């Protein structure tokens, strides 16, 4: 091997140190959050003063300040929309709040202001956090790379300066700086960020590698084949940003009619004020009737008809380990009619484990002796497969013999002296080669059987003779099959798997959980294409994933859910909901809870419509006293609010879980 490849770096960063630094916008770094927080504090100070009978001068200015702090931004946005000939509910709420204050209902108006300001701040925070995660993804790619010059010398250059055709050297433990192809060297590369494969992939001359993936124990000489702006990791960033920008803005159920309702209410209020004046009515009386009309017709009860059920469902889901990021998301979850799942880390636990221990005949070893021998040789290794072997021995309480003379050959395996014998643990294809002796033939047959079953086969040799094979695989989540069955019934269509893992492993797992539609070997853009094909057919797709490679599909889907425990920052921020405790079975439950919330929204809208219609007719056809109008308006608001809070109870979650189980 040339000296450049053989040379070790002076300091190799451990893999853990290569983790992406987390950059998160602080809540109060956002102007929207500062204004909303100020309005909320002022309201919370003013309210007890008013309720305890303090003089108006004590709480009146506080309410006025809350109006200004929380209301100026939505008012400005509403006026900007009005210039575009669009009248939205935000402006209507500001007008209603001012109208309430003008007839003495200062607290009601301030409450409306605080609710809308807080909602806007939460939306701004969610947007900022997603942008943080997208920017943080770029940190996966190192800022510098070692470029090899024509004369054999090395130079450190910025990765953005690498051009197609350049040759770069990637030492052990370094991240690869550009998409390219291996010219020389052998190593294992952890490319889970791109493909989602649970185990490092052996790379040698001729194999493709991706920027941002982590090199293992060998050195690689790589020829750059793509510019930095066209790398797979750069395209992931671009796809997430594009999907976030082009994804149609969703609306709560009531917002779908907000334009007509807003216009109708404005014209009706003006008519209630102006028509009596035309017939000689007094200005004060007409203004009072118009303000009463605006109060009783304002959509407070309608807004509360929608929000409390959804917010209660969000709170309930949060207590049970599912973080739903907004009321819009909670509503959308109940609309899904197709499901696509990642494999590694979603349907599986994402950690390789020893599943098979197969000592060969005449080797003189039982399962425990074979595992202990392999664990002794693998003990110093940092390879994930070695960790799986050592963990399996530790779990069984085995006594692992001492070892010495440890060496590691990238892409082949490890060698050590254990109890006076030379023990080699590694890839069967590399270690067996063309050997034709009986033990090697038997070992090759067993390795093929394990690989056909979706396992990674690991050969154990002692003094040059095969003594056994270990099968290693990523373990299926215990609740995966039941979850798939529930989702299939709830959505009315069979879920599908979208994975970057190899087709054989994906097919084996799909068979275990009862999925027939499997798309394997996918890059992130391929997952987005598969999701958009479903949505072009009119489906509302729920995507469940955990990795960077899932983020574009999570962003492009109707709704995205990320697995929280091992999920990447980008997936967690891009997804609409996060399963905090990694309990996959909560997905069908939260879908059922969303549908229960939607049913409650409809109930509340009917209640609100009955109250509003009755009060409006009374005000127009007769004379509705202002106190009764306020009482009826507030009463309907309280009723729908309390009705929506029913979903806060644990019984609501239990009913949703039972409904999901019954759907299997």
């Amino acid at each position: 091997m040339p000296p450049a490849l053989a040379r070790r770096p002076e300091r190799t960063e451990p893999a853990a140190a290569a983790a992406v630094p987390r950059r998160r916008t602080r809540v109060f770094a956002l102007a929207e959050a500062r204004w909303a927080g100020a309005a909320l504090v002022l309201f919370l100070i003013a309210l007890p003063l008013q309720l305890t009978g303090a003089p108006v001068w004590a709480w009146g200015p506080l309410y006025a300040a809350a109006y200004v702090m929380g209301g100026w931004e939505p008012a400005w946005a509403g006026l900007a929309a009005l210039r575009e000939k669009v009248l939205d509910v935000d402006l209507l709420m500001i007008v209603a709040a001012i109208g309430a204050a003008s007839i003495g209902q200062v607290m009601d108006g301030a409450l409306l202001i605080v609710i809308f300001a807080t909602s806007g701040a939460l939306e701004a925070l969610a947007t900022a956090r997603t942008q943080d995660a997208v920017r943080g993804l770029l940190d996966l790619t190192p800022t510098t790379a070692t470029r090899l010059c024509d004369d054999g010398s090395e130079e450190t250059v910025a990765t953005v300066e690498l051009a197609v055709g350049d040759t770069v050297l990637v030492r052990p433990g370094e991240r690869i700086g550009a998409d390219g192809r291996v010219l020389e060297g052998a190593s294992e590369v952890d490319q889970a960020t791109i493909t989602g494969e649970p185990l490092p992939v052996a790379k040698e001359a001729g194999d493709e590698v991706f920027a941002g993936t982590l090199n293992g124990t060998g050195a690689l000489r790589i020829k750059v084949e793509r510019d930095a702006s066209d790398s797979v990791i750069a395209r992931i960033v671009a796809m997430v940003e594009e999907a976030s920008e082009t994804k149609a803005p969703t609306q709560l159920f009531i917002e779908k009619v907000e334009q007509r309702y807003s216009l109708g209410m404005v014209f009706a209020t003006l008519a209630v004020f102006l028509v009596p004046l035309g017939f000689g009515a007094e200005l004060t009386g007409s203004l009072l009737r118009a303000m009463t009309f605006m109060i009783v017709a304002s959509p407070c009860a309608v807004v509360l008809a929608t929000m409390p059920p959804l917010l209660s469902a969000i709170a309930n889901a949060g207590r049970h380990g599912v973080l739903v990021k907004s009321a819009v998301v909670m509503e959308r979850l109940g609309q899904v009619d197709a499901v696509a799942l990642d494999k590694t880390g979603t349907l599986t636990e994402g950690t390789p484990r020893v599943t098979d221990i197969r000592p060969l005949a005449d080797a003189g070893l039982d399962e425990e002796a074979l595992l202990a021998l392999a664990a002794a040789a693998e003990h110093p290794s940092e390879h994930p497969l070695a960790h799986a072997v050592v963990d399996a021995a530790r779990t069984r309480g085995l006594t692992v013999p001492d070892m010495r003379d440890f060496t590691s050959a990238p892409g082949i395996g490890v060698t050590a002296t254990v109890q006076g014998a030379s023990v080699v643990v590694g890839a069967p294809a590399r270690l067996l080669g063309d050997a034709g002796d009986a033990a090697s033939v038997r070992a090759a047959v067993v390795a093929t059987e394990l690989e056909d079953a979706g396992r990674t086969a690991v050969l154990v040799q002692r003094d040059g003779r095969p003594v056994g094979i270990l099968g290693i695989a990523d373990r299926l989540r215990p609740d995966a099959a039941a979850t798939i069955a529930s989702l299939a019934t709830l959505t009315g269509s069979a879920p599908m798997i979208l994975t970057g893992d190899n087709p054989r492993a994906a097919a084996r797992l799909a068979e275990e959980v009862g999925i027939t539609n499997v798309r394997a070997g996918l890059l992130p853009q391929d997952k987005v294409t598969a999701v958009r094909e479903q949505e072009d057919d009119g489906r509302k797709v729920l995507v469940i994933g955990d990795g960077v490679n899932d983020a574009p599909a999570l962003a492009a889907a109707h709704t995205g859910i990320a697995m929280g425990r091992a999920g990447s920052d980008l997936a967690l921020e891009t997804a609409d909901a996060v399963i905090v405790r990694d309990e996959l079975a909560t997905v069908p439950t939260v879908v059922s809870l969303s549908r229960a919330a939607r049913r409650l929204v409809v109930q509340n809208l009917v209640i609100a419509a009955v109250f509003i219609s009755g009060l409006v007719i009374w005000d127009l056809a007769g004379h509705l006293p202002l106190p009764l109008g306020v009482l009826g308006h507030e009463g309907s608001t309280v009723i729908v609010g309390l009705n929506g809070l029913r979903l806060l109870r644990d019984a609501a979650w239990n009913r949703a879980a039972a409904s999901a189980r019954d759907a299997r």
Side-chain angles (χ1 to χ4, degrees):
M1 185 176 293
L5 284 179
R7 191 182 305 124
R8 300 286 294 180
E10 294 182 3
R11 181 176 181 270
T12 300
E13 295 291 338
V20 181
R22 189 170 178 81
R23 298 187 287 185
R24 290 171 66 88
T25 298
R26 294 184 178 181
V27 174
F28 289 105
L30 299 172
E32 295 91 341
R34 294 195 296 271
W35 291 117
L40 177 60
V41 169
L42 291 166
F43 178 81
L44 293 177
I45 295 174
L47 181 61
L49 291 175
Q50 181 189 16
L51 296 179
T52 54
V56 174
W57 60 262
W59 49 263
L62 295 173
Y63 277 136
Y67 274 70
V68 174
M69 295 289 186
W72 80 268
E73 280 197 322
W76 185 262
L79 291 173
L82 196 59
R83 285 196 294 269
E84 302 296 327
K85 299 181 181 179
V86 174
L87 182 63
D88 61 19
V89 164
D90 285 5
L91 185 59
L92 194 62
M93 285 295 93
I94 298 299
V95 174
I98 295 173
S102 70
I103 59 174
Q105 303 301 315
V106 180
M107 186 271 287
D108 292 341
L111 179 59
L112 278 178
I113 292 290
V114 169
I115 289 174
F116 270 76
T118 303
S119 175
L122 292 175
E123 181 178 354
L125 179 62
T127 301
R129 289 286 172 82
T130 300
Q131 292 171 346
D132 291 342
V134 171
R135 287 193 299 268
L137 177 59
L138 294 173
D139 291 331
L140 281 173
T141 305
T143 56
T144 61
T146 302
R147 182 165 61 189
L148 300 180
C149 303
D150 293 339
D151 60 3
S153 62
E154 300 176 9
E155 61 177 345
T156 301
V157 298
T159 52
V160 294
E161 296 178 8
L162 293 175
V164 175
D166 284 349
T167 301
V168 296
L169 173 65
V170 183
R171 293 186 171 94
E174 293 182 344
R175 285 195 179 272
I176 296 172
D179 286 6
R181 198 165 296 277
V182 177
L183 293 177
E184 193 172 351
S187 185
E188 305 90 12
V189 176
D190 181 355
Q191 52 188 38
T193 53
I194 302 298
T195 65
E197 293 170 286
L199 301 174
V201 179
K203 298 290 184 179
E204 57 185 14
D207 291 335
E208 185 178 21
V209 292
F210 304 107
T213 55
L214 184 64
N215 187 27
T217 56
L220 298 174
R221 191 190 295 262
I222 297 170
K223 181 179 180 181
V224 178
E225 292 189 340
R226 294 192 189 96
D227 291 331
S229 60
D230 195 39
S231 68
V232 172
I233 203 78
R235 279 183 280 169
I236 291 176
V237 173
M239 284 187 293
V240 172
E241 290 177 334
E242 179 185 1
S244 299
E245 291 172 0
T246 61
K247 195 173 181 178
T250 57
Q251 296 175 310
L252 297 174
F253 179 76
I254 187 57
E255 290 177 345
K256 295 175 183 177
V257 295
E258 74 171 42
Q259 182 68 12
R260 293 179 182 177
Y261 187 93
S262 301
L263 289 172
M265 182 175 166
V266 169
F267 286 124
T269 301
L270 291 174
V272 171
F273 175 59
L274 296 174
V275 171
L277 286 180
F279 287 93
E282 294 183 358
L283 176 63
T284 303
S286 295
L287 180 60
L288 182 60
R289 180 187 289 266
M291 287 297 97
T292 303
F293 175 84
M294 174 172 281
I295 292 297
V296 300
S298 68
C300 300
V302 175
V303 170
L304 285 178
T306 303
M307 295 303 291
L310 296 173
L311 294 178
S312 298
I314 289 173
N316 201 337
R319 289 202 310 271
H320 291 87
V322 182
L323 173 62
V324 179
K325 294 186 178 180
S326 71
V328 171
V329 173
M330 179 55 74
E331 186 194 38
R332 288 165 67 94
L333 279 166
Q335 300 171 347
V336 298
D337 56 10
V339 179
L341 302 97
D342 176 45
K343 171 186 167 287
T344 305
T346 301
L347 286 170
T348 68
E349 295 178 346
T351 303
R353 300 179 186 273
V354 174
T355 57
D356 302 85
I357 305 173
R358 305 280 288 274
L360 297 179
D362 303 326
L365 298 175
D366 58 14
E367 290 188 1
E368 292 189 349
L370 175 63
L371 181 59
L373 188 67
E378 293 275 28
H379 191 269
S381 176
E382 291 297 323
H383 196 285
L385 293 182
H387 290 172
V389 173
V390 174
D391 288 344
R394 185 180 296 116
T395 300
R396 292 186 175 215
L398 303 182
T399 300
V400 177
D402 293 332
M403 53 72 59
R404 57 186 176 83
D405 302 329
F406 173 85
T407 59
S408 174
I412 299 176
V414 302
T415 302
T417 301
V418 181
Q419 296 177 330
S422 175
V423 177
V424 180
V425 182
R430 301 288 182 88
L431 296 177
L432 293 175
D434 297 326
D437 60 278
S440 296
V441 170
R442 286 197 300 271
V445 170
V446 174
T448 301
E449 290 176 0
L450 292 175
E451 290 171 350
D452 288 343
R455 314 292 200 257
T456 296
V458 176
L459 174 69
V460 182
Q461 287 182 332
R462 183 173 59 184
D463 290 333
R465 177 183 174 83
V467 293
I469 303 286
L470 304 179
I472 299 178
D474 189 7
R475 191 163 63 183
L476 184 70
R477 291 183 185 274
D479 52 0
T483 298
I484 295 302
S486 296
L487 289 173
T489 305
L490 283 172
T491 61
S493 63
M496 64 178 175
I497 291 178
L498 303 178
T499 179
D501 209 348
N502 68 78
R504 188 165 54 184
R508 187 226 7 127
L509 181 134
E511 184 178 356
E512 289 187 46
V513 298
I515 293 179
T516 56
N517 187 355
V518 181
R519 303 192 188 186
L522 303 182
L523 289 175
Q525 59 265 33
D526 302 322
K527 293 187 177 185
V528 173
T529 299
V531 170
R532 286 181 172 158
E533 285 175 359
Q534 291 276 308
E535 295 195 333
D536 289 343
D537 291 336
R539 313 305 295 268
K540 293 181 173 63
V541 183
L542 168 64
V543 171
I544 308 171
D546 72 309
V548 167
N549 58 318
D550 300 315
L554 290 169
H558 178 267
T559 311
I561 296 181
M563 305 298 291
R565 184 167 297 170
S568 69
D569 286 351
L570 185 64
L572 298 181
E573 298 294 356
T574 304
D576 301 303
V578 177
I579 304 175
V580 179
R581 300 174 190 165
D582 265 16
E583 297 172 358
L584 192 61
T586 57
V587 175
T589 301
V590 79
V591 170
S592 294
L593 186 65
S594 170
R595 293 182 178 180
R598 287 166 58 84
R599 290 192 296 269
L600 211 55
V601 166
V602 174
Q603 292 178 17
N604 280 349
L605 288 174
V606 172
I607 294 171
V610 169
F611 270 88
I612 291 175
S613 299
L615 293 172
V616 166
I617 292 172
W618 188 352
D619 187 50
L620 295 179
H623 177 70
L624 174 63
L626 179 59
L628 285 180
V630 172
L631 180 63
H633 175 265
E634 297 301 326
S636 65
T637 302
V638 169
I639 289 173
V640 298
L642 292 176
N643 191 41
L645 295 178
R646 288 192 295 146
L647 290 183
L648 279 173
R649 297 180 297 176
D650 285 338
W653 179 267
N654 295 335
R655 284 195 299 270
S659 176
R661 287 194 299 269
D662 294 342
R664 295 174 194 168

